[in-house]
Amino acid sequence: MKSKSIILFLSLVFIQLSVFAHPPKKVELKYDKNTNSLLVTVTHGVADVKTHYINIIEVSVDNVSVKKSEPTEQTSTATEITTIVLPELKSGSVITVKATCNKFGSKSTTLKVE
């Protein structure tokens, strides 16, 4: 009986956490070769941008970490949008961005420079 109560309690805690904390839904990248800038748009719906937000955006180029952004709140309740200036990139370079939620989870995506 005691083990069933513990399992039920842990299940309820997990369900509560999953309702309020969730990973980013989508990460979109646009690289502008003229300005060497990367526009990062992270879809991550939240109720309060100051308490639940994307807190780390890590950028790698060809598997080498080049930039890390650490916002302290989200741009809007729907998305985190940031522009990151990168060194000049060659065609064929692969940009990888990992966006991490301050509560739970992360999402990564890649973009090949044309």
PDB file of all heavy atoms in Angstrom, residues 48-77:
ATOM      1  N   ASP A  48       4.450  33.824 -17.966  1.00  0.00           N
ATOM      2  CA  ASP A  48       5.187  34.925 -17.347  1.00  0.00           C
ATOM      3  C   ASP A  48       6.626  34.892 -17.847  1.00  0.00           C
ATOM      4  O   ASP A  48       7.390  33.995 -17.495  1.00  0.00           O
ATOM      5  CB  ASP A  48       5.139  34.797 -15.829  1.00  0.00           C
ATOM      6  CG  ASP A  48       5.835  35.937 -15.107  1.00  0.00           C
ATOM      7  OD1 ASP A  48       6.517  36.759 -15.757  1.00  0.00           O
ATOM      8  OD2 ASP A  48       5.701  36.011 -13.870  1.00  0.00           O
ATOM      9  N   VAL A  49       7.006  35.885 -18.651  1.00  0.00           N
ATOM     10  CA  VAL A  49       8.332  35.908 -19.283  1.00  0.00           C
ATOM     11  C   VAL A  49       9.470  36.121 -18.299  1.00  0.00           C
ATOM     12  O   VAL A  49      10.635  35.914 -18.636  1.00  0.00           O
ATOM     13  CB  VAL A  49       8.405  36.989 -20.381  1.00  0.00           C
ATOM     14  CG1 VAL A  49       7.397  36.715 -21.482  1.00  0.00           C
ATOM     15  CG2 VAL A  49       8.224  38.386 -19.802  1.00  0.00           C
ATOM     16  N   LYS A  50       9.161  36.524 -17.074  1.00  0.00           N
ATOM     17  CA  LYS A  50      10.207  36.761 -16.072  1.00  0.00           C
ATOM     18  C   LYS A  50      10.514  35.531 -15.220  1.00  0.00           C
ATOM     19  O   LYS A  50      11.574  35.450 -14.620  1.00  0.00           O
ATOM     20  CB  LYS A  50       9.817  37.934 -15.176  1.00  0.00           C
ATOM     21  CG  LYS A  50       9.778  39.250 -15.932  1.00  0.00           C
ATOM     22  CD  LYS A  50       9.384  40.393 -15.034  1.00  0.00           C
ATOM     23  CE  LYS A  50       9.194  41.639 -15.846  1.00  0.00           C
ATOM     24  NZ  LYS A  50      10.278  42.571 -15.737  1.00  0.00           N
ATOM     25  N   THR A  51       9.586  34.581 -15.158  1.00  0.00           N
ATOM     26  CA  THR A  51       9.807  33.401 -14.324  1.00  0.00           C
ATOM     27  C   THR A  51       9.982  32.112 -15.129  1.00  0.00           C
ATOM     28  O   THR A  51      10.481  31.119 -14.597  1.00  0.00           O
ATOM     29  CB  THR A  51       8.639  33.197 -13.327  1.00  0.00           C
ATOM     30  OG1 THR A  51       7.433  32.992 -14.063  1.00  0.00           O
ATOM     31  CG2 THR A  51       8.494  34.389 -12.411  1.00  0.00           C
ATOM     32  N   HIS A  52       9.565  32.101 -16.369  1.00  0.00           N
ATOM     33  CA  HIS A  52       9.660  30.909 -17.226  1.00  0.00           C
ATOM     34  C   HIS A  52      10.106  31.399 -18.596  1.00  0.00           C
ATOM     35  O   HIS A  52       9.345  32.065 -19.289  1.00  0.00           O
ATOM     36  CB  HIS A  52       8.294  30.223 -17.298  1.00  0.00           C
ATOM     37  CG  HIS A  52       8.308  28.925 -18.036  1.00  0.00           C
ATOM     38  ND1 HIS A  52       7.156  28.221 -18.289  1.00  0.00           N
ATOM     39  CD2 HIS A  52       9.302  28.183 -18.585  1.00  0.00           C
ATOM     40  CE1 HIS A  52       7.435  27.126 -18.948  1.00  0.00           C
ATOM     41  NE2 HIS A  52       8.742  27.079 -19.139  1.00  0.00           N
ATOM     42  N   TYR A  53      11.331  31.055 -18.977  1.00  0.00           N
ATOM     43  CA  TYR A  53      11.901  31.652 -20.180  1.00  0.00           C
ATOM     44  C   TYR A  53      13.057  30.815 -20.718  1.00  0.00           C
ATOM     45  O   TYR A  53      13.543  29.904 -20.048  1.00  0.00           O
ATOM     46  CB  TYR A  53      12.381  33.080 -19.895  1.00  0.00           C
ATOM     47  CG  TYR A  53      13.337  33.191 -18.736  1.00  0.00           C
ATOM     48  CD1 TYR A  53      14.713  33.144 -18.933  1.00  0.00           C
ATOM     49  CD2 TYR A  53      12.873  33.332 -17.430  1.00  0.00           C
ATOM     50  CE1 TYR A  53      15.593  33.244 -17.875  1.00  0.00           C
ATOM     51  CE2 TYR A  53      13.756  33.433 -16.356  1.00  0.00           C
ATOM     52  CZ  TYR A  53      15.115  33.388 -16.587  1.00  0.00           C
ATOM     53  OH  TYR A  53      15.984  33.476 -15.533  1.00  0.00           O
ATOM     54  N   ILE A  54      13.498  31.168 -21.908  1.00  0.00           N
ATOM     55  CA  ILE A  54      14.703  30.564 -22.481  1.00  0.00           C
ATOM     56  C   ILE A  54      15.886  31.268 -21.826  1.00  0.00           C
ATOM     57  O   ILE A  54      16.044  32.481 -21.963  1.00  0.00           O
ATOM     58  CB  ILE A  54      14.737  30.751 -24.015  1.00  0.00           C
ATOM     59  CG1 ILE A  54      13.541  30.074 -24.674  1.00  0.00           C
ATOM     60  CG2 ILE A  54      16.053  30.231 -24.583  1.00  0.00           C
ATOM     61  CD1 ILE A  54      13.425  28.584 -24.405  1.00  0.00           C
ATOM     62  N   ASN A  55      16.696  30.505 -21.083  1.00  0.00           N
ATOM     63  CA  ASN A  55      17.783  31.143 -20.346  1.00  0.00           C
ATOM     64  C   ASN A  55      19.174  30.891 -20.926  1.00  0.00           C
ATOM     65  O   ASN A  55      20.130  31.525 -20.507  1.00  0.00           O
ATOM     66  CB  ASN A  55      17.755  30.748 -18.866  1.00  0.00           C
ATOM     67  CG  ASN A  55      18.122  29.298 -18.626  1.00  0.00           C
ATOM     68  OD1 ASN A  55      17.860  28.434 -19.454  1.00  0.00           O
ATOM     69  ND2 ASN A  55      18.721  29.019 -17.499  1.00  0.00           N
ATOM     70  N   ILE A  56      19.276  29.979 -21.887  1.00  0.00           N
ATOM     71  CA  ILE A  56      20.574  29.748 -22.528  1.00  0.00           C
ATOM     72  C   ILE A  56      20.353  29.503 -24.023  1.00  0.00           C
ATOM     73  O   ILE A  56      19.515  28.693 -24.408  1.00  0.00           O
ATOM     74  CB  ILE A  56      21.315  28.535 -21.925  1.00  0.00           C
ATOM     75  CG1 ILE A  56      21.572  28.738 -20.437  1.00  0.00           C
ATOM     76  CG2 ILE A  56      22.637  28.284 -22.666  1.00  0.00           C
ATOM     77  CD1 ILE A  56      22.146  27.520 -19.734  1.00  0.00           C
ATOM     78  N   ILE A  57      21.123  30.217 -24.821  1.00  0.00           N
ATOM     79  CA  ILE A  57      21.163  29.969 -26.264  1.00  0.00           C
ATOM     80  C   ILE A  57      22.633  29.759 -26.617  1.00  0.00           C
ATOM     81  O   ILE A  57      23.445  30.673 -26.512  1.00  0.00           O
ATOM     82  CB  ILE A  57      20.562  31.137 -27.069  1.00  0.00           C
ATOM     83  CG1 ILE A  57      19.088  31.312 -26.712  1.00  0.00           C
ATOM     84  CG2 ILE A  57      20.745  30.898 -28.568  1.00  0.00           C
ATOM     85  CD1 ILE A  57      18.432  32.523 -27.326  1.00  0.00           C
ATOM     86  N   GLU A  58      22.958  28.511 -26.980  1.00  0.00           N
ATOM     87  CA  GLU A  58      24.332  28.147 -27.296  1.00  0.00           C
ATOM     88  C   GLU A  58      24.490  27.987 -28.804  1.00  0.00           C
ATOM     89  O   GLU A  58      23.692  27.289 -29.430  1.00  0.00           O
ATOM     90  CB  GLU A  58      24.703  26.836 -26.628  1.00  0.00           C
ATOM     91  CG  GLU A  58      24.656  26.889 -25.110  1.00  0.00           C
ATOM     92  CD  GLU A  58      24.867  25.528 -24.477  1.00  0.00           C
ATOM     93  OE1 GLU A  58      23.870  24.810 -24.325  1.00  0.00           O
ATOM     94  OE2 GLU A  58      26.031  25.204 -24.154  1.00  0.00           O
ATOM     95  N   VAL A  59      25.520  28.624 -29.362  1.00  0.00           N
ATOM     96  CA  VAL A  59      25.768  28.569 -30.803  1.00  0.00           C
ATOM     97  C   VAL A  59      27.117  27.908 -31.059  1.00  0.00           C
ATOM     98  O   VAL A  59      28.135  28.307 -30.485  1.00  0.00           O
ATOM     99  CB  VAL A  59      25.758  29.986 -31.421  1.00  0.00           C
ATOM    100  CG1 VAL A  59      25.968  29.909 -32.931  1.00  0.00           C
ATOM    101  CG2 VAL A  59      24.463  30.719 -31.096  1.00  0.00           C
ATOM    102  N   SER A  60      27.090  26.908 -31.934  1.00  0.00           N
ATOM    103  CA  SER A  60      28.321  26.237 -32.365  1.00  0.00           C
ATOM    104  C   SER A  60      28.405  26.318 -33.880  1.00  0.00           C
ATOM    105  O   SER A  60      27.378  26.314 -34.569  1.00  0.00           O
ATOM    106  CB  SER A  60      28.311  24.766 -31.955  1.00  0.00           C
ATOM    107  OG  SER A  60      28.261  24.647 -30.561  1.00  0.00           O
ATOM    108  N   VAL A  61      29.620  26.401 -34.375  1.00  0.00           N
ATOM    109  CA  VAL A  61      29.856  26.363 -35.816  1.00  0.00           C
ATOM    110  C   VAL A  61      30.825  25.216 -36.076  1.00  0.00           C
ATOM    111  O   VAL A  61      31.921  25.185 -35.490  1.00  0.00           O
ATOM    112  CB  VAL A  61      30.425  27.704 -36.342  1.00  0.00           C
ATOM    113  CG1 VAL A  61      30.747  27.593 -37.824  1.00  0.00           C
ATOM    114  CG2 VAL A  61      29.454  28.851 -36.072  1.00  0.00           C
ATOM    115  N   ASP A  62      30.395  24.293 -36.903  1.00  0.00           N
ATOM    116  CA  ASP A  62      31.199  23.105 -37.215  1.00  0.00           C
ATOM    117  C   ASP A  62      31.670  22.412 -35.934  1.00  0.00           C
ATOM    118  O   ASP A  62      32.845  22.078 -35.772  1.00  0.00           O
ATOM    119  CB  ASP A  62      32.382  23.461 -38.118  1.00  0.00           C
ATOM    120  CG  ASP A  62      31.920  23.995 -39.465  1.00  0.00           C
ATOM    121  OD1 ASP A  62      30.859  23.549 -39.952  1.00  0.00           O
ATOM    122  OD2 ASP A  62      32.608  24.872 -40.031  1.00  0.00           O
ATOM    123  N   ASN A  63      30.735  22.237 -34.996  1.00  0.00           N
ATOM    124  CA  ASN A  63      30.953  21.547 -33.719  1.00  0.00           C
ATOM    125  C   ASN A  63      31.912  22.255 -32.763  1.00  0.00           C
ATOM    126  O   ASN A  63      32.434  21.640 -31.829  1.00  0.00           O
ATOM    127  CB  ASN A  63      31.421  20.105 -33.944  1.00  0.00           C
ATOM    128  CG  ASN A  63      30.350  19.273 -34.603  1.00  0.00           C
ATOM    129  OD1 ASN A  63      29.183  19.351 -34.241  1.00  0.00           O
ATOM    130  ND2 ASN A  63      30.750  18.479 -35.590  1.00  0.00           N
ATOM    131  N   VAL A  64      32.149  23.556 -32.977  1.00  0.00           N
ATOM    132  CA  VAL A  64      32.983  24.343 -32.072  1.00  0.00           C
ATOM    133  C   VAL A  64      32.107  25.448 -31.481  1.00  0.00           C
ATOM    134  O   VAL A  64      31.514  26.240 -32.214  1.00  0.00           O
ATOM    135  CB  VAL A  64      34.191  24.971 -32.807  1.00  0.00           C
ATOM    136  CG1 VAL A  64      34.988  25.879 -31.869  1.00  0.00           C
ATOM    137  CG2 VAL A  64      35.077  23.887 -33.403  1.00  0.00           C
ATOM    138  N   SER A  65      32.035  25.496 -30.151  1.00  0.00           N
ATOM    139  CA  SER A  65      31.228  26.517 -29.485  1.00  0.00           C
ATOM    140  C   SER A  65      31.804  27.905 -29.774  1.00  0.00           C
ATOM    141  O   SER A  65      33.010  28.123 -29.592  1.00  0.00           O
ATOM    142  CB  SER A  65      31.204  26.260 -27.982  1.00  0.00           C
ATOM    143  OG  SER A  65      30.442  27.240 -27.325  1.00  0.00           O
ATOM    144  N   VAL A  66      30.932  28.830 -30.234  1.00  0.00           N
ATOM    145  CA  VAL A  66      31.414  30.173 -30.578  1.00  0.00           C
ATOM    146  C   VAL A  66      30.729  31.287 -29.784  1.00  0.00           C
ATOM    147  O   VAL A  66      31.310  32.341 -29.576  1.00  0.00           O
ATOM    148  CB  VAL A  66      31.296  30.466 -32.094  1.00  0.00           C
ATOM    149  CG1 VAL A  66      32.232  29.576 -32.887  1.00  0.00           C
ATOM    150  CG2 VAL A  66      29.880  30.332 -32.583  1.00  0.00           C
ATOM    151  N   LYS A  67      29.495  31.079 -29.352  1.00  0.00           N
ATOM    152  CA  LYS A  67      28.769  32.112 -28.606  1.00  0.00           C
ATOM    153  C   LYS A  67      27.796  31.452 -27.644  1.00  0.00           C
ATOM    154  O   LYS A  67      27.278  30.365 -27.894  1.00  0.00           O
ATOM    155  CB  LYS A  67      27.949  33.019 -29.541  1.00  0.00           C
ATOM    156  CG  LYS A  67      28.740  33.846 -30.514  1.00  0.00           C
ATOM    157  CD  LYS A  67      29.279  35.099 -29.873  1.00  0.00           C
ATOM    158  CE  LYS A  67      30.043  35.871 -30.929  1.00  0.00           C
ATOM    159  NZ  LYS A  67      30.342  37.217 -30.599  1.00  0.00           N
ATOM    160  N   LYS A  68      27.547  32.171 -26.550  1.00  0.00           N
ATOM    161  CA  LYS A  68      26.548  31.724 -25.580  1.00  0.00           C
ATOM    162  C   LYS A  68      25.822  32.959 -25.070  1.00  0.00           C
ATOM    163  O   LYS A  68      26.453  33.883 -24.560  1.00  0.00           O
ATOM    164  CB  LYS A  68      27.211  30.969 -24.428  1.00  0.00           C
ATOM    165  CG  LYS A  68      26.244  30.383 -23.428  1.00  0.00           C
ATOM    166  CD  LYS A  68      27.013  29.573 -22.389  1.00  0.00           C
ATOM    167  CE  LYS A  68      26.095  28.933 -21.390  1.00  0.00           C
ATOM    168  NZ  LYS A  68      26.855  28.159 -20.382  1.00  0.00           N
ATOM    169  N   SER A  69      24.509  32.953 -25.224  1.00  0.00           N
ATOM    170  CA  SER A  69      23.675  34.050 -24.748  1.00  0.00           C
ATOM    171  C   SER A  69      22.871  33.538 -23.557  1.00  0.00           C
ATOM    172  O   SER A  69      22.394  32.403 -23.574  1.00  0.00           O
ATOM    173  CB  SER A  69      22.740  34.510 -25.876  1.00  0.00           C
ATOM    174  OG  SER A  69      21.826  35.461 -25.405  1.00  0.00           O
ATOM    175  N   GLU A  70      22.731  34.385 -22.524  1.00  0.00           N
ATOM    176  CA  GLU A  70      21.998  33.982 -21.323  1.00  0.00           C
ATOM    177  C   GLU A  70      20.951  35.037 -20.953  1.00  0.00           C
ATOM    178  O   GLU A  70      21.165  35.819 -20.021  1.00  0.00           O
ATOM    179  CB  GLU A  70      22.967  33.731 -20.167  1.00  0.00           C
ATOM    180  CG  GLU A  70      23.927  32.591 -20.468  1.00  0.00           C
ATOM    181  CD  GLU A  70      24.855  32.264 -19.314  1.00  0.00           C
ATOM    182  OE1 GLU A  70      24.347  31.883 -18.250  1.00  0.00           O
ATOM    183  OE2 GLU A  70      26.076  32.395 -19.498  1.00  0.00           O
ATOM    184  N   PRO A  71      19.821  35.040 -21.674  1.00  0.00           N
ATOM    185  CA  PRO A  71      18.757  36.005 -21.354  1.00  0.00           C
ATOM    186  C   PRO A  71      18.231  35.783 -19.933  1.00  0.00           C
ATOM    187  O   PRO A  71      18.260  34.668 -19.412  1.00  0.00           O
ATOM    188  CB  PRO A  71      17.667  35.691 -22.380  1.00  0.00           C
ATOM    189  CG  PRO A  71      18.310  34.856 -23.426  1.00  0.00           C
ATOM    190  CD  PRO A  71      19.473  34.175 -22.789  1.00  0.00           C
ATOM    191  N   THR A  72      17.743  36.854 -19.310  1.00  0.00           N
ATOM    192  CA  THR A  72      17.180  36.747 -17.963  1.00  0.00           C
ATOM    193  C   THR A  72      15.660  36.837 -17.975  1.00  0.00           C
ATOM    194  O   THR A  72      15.017  36.741 -16.932  1.00  0.00           O
ATOM    195  CB  THR A  72      17.741  37.847 -17.049  1.00  0.00           C
ATOM    196  OG1 THR A  72      17.496  39.127 -17.653  1.00  0.00           O
ATOM    197  CG2 THR A  72      19.238  37.656 -16.847  1.00  0.00           C
ATOM    198  N   GLU A  73      15.091  37.035 -19.156  1.00  0.00           N
ATOM    199  CA  GLU A  73      13.649  36.937 -19.360  1.00  0.00           C
ATOM    200  C   GLU A  73      13.416  36.743 -20.847  1.00  0.00           C
ATOM    201  O   GLU A  73      14.308  36.957 -21.656  1.00  0.00           O
ATOM    202  CB  GLU A  73      12.891  38.148 -18.822  1.00  0.00           C
ATOM    203  CG  GLU A  73      13.194  39.460 -19.512  1.00  0.00           C
ATOM    204  CD  GLU A  73      12.431  40.612 -18.881  1.00  0.00           C
ATOM    205  OE1 GLU A  73      12.665  40.901 -17.701  1.00  0.00           O
ATOM    206  OE2 GLU A  73      11.596  41.208 -19.581  1.00  0.00           O
ATOM    207  N   GLN A  74      12.204  36.345 -21.211  1.00  0.00           N
ATOM    208  CA  GLN A  74      11.899  36.029 -22.599  1.00  0.00           C
ATOM    209  C   GLN A  74      11.367  37.269 -23.321  1.00  0.00           C
ATOM    210  O   GLN A  74      10.718  38.118 -22.713  1.00  0.00           O
ATOM    211  CB  GLN A  74      10.879  34.886 -22.646  1.00  0.00           C
ATOM    212  CG  GLN A  74      10.773  34.226 -24.006  1.00  0.00           C
ATOM    213  CD  GLN A  74      10.131  32.865 -23.932  1.00  0.00           C
ATOM    214  OE1 GLN A  74      10.721  31.930 -23.421  1.00  0.00           O
ATOM    215  NE2 GLN A  74       8.914  32.747 -24.440  1.00  0.00           N
ATOM    216  N   THR A  75      11.631  37.367 -24.616  1.00  0.00           N
ATOM    217  CA  THR A  75      11.219  38.499 -25.433  1.00  0.00           C
ATOM    218  C   THR A  75       9.712  38.728 -25.392  1.00  0.00           C
ATOM    219  O   THR A  75       9.247  39.855 -25.290  1.00  0.00           O
ATOM    220  CB  THR A  75      11.663  38.278 -26.903  1.00  0.00           C
ATOM    221  OG1 THR A  75      13.034  37.933 -26.930  1.00  0.00           O
ATOM    222  CG2 THR A  75      11.441  39.522 -27.727  1.00  0.00           C
ATOM    223  N   SER A  76       8.935  37.647 -25.493  1.00  0.00           N
ATOM    224  CA  SER A  76       7.471  37.732 -25.432  1.00  0.00           C
ATOM    225  C   SER A  76       6.929  36.431 -24.850  1.00  0.00           C
ATOM    226  O   SER A  76       7.678  35.485 -24.639  1.00  0.00           O
ATOM    227  CB  SER A  76       6.873  37.963 -26.820  1.00  0.00           C
ATOM    228  OG  SER A  76       6.918  36.767 -27.590  1.00  0.00           O
ATOM    229  N   THR A  77       5.625  36.368 -24.628  1.00  0.00           N
ATOM    230  CA  THR A  77       5.032  35.141 -24.087  1.00  0.00           C
ATOM    231  C   THR A  77       5.033  34.007 -25.102  1.00  0.00           C
ATOM    232  O   THR A  77       4.838  32.859 -24.730  1.00  0.00           O
ATOM    233  CB  THR A  77       3.595  35.382 -23.591  1.00  0.00           C
ATOM    234  OG1 THR A  77       2.820  35.904 -24.671  1.00  0.00           O
ATOM    235  CG2 THR A  77       3.564  36.330 -22.408  1.00  0.00           C
TER     236      THR A  77
END
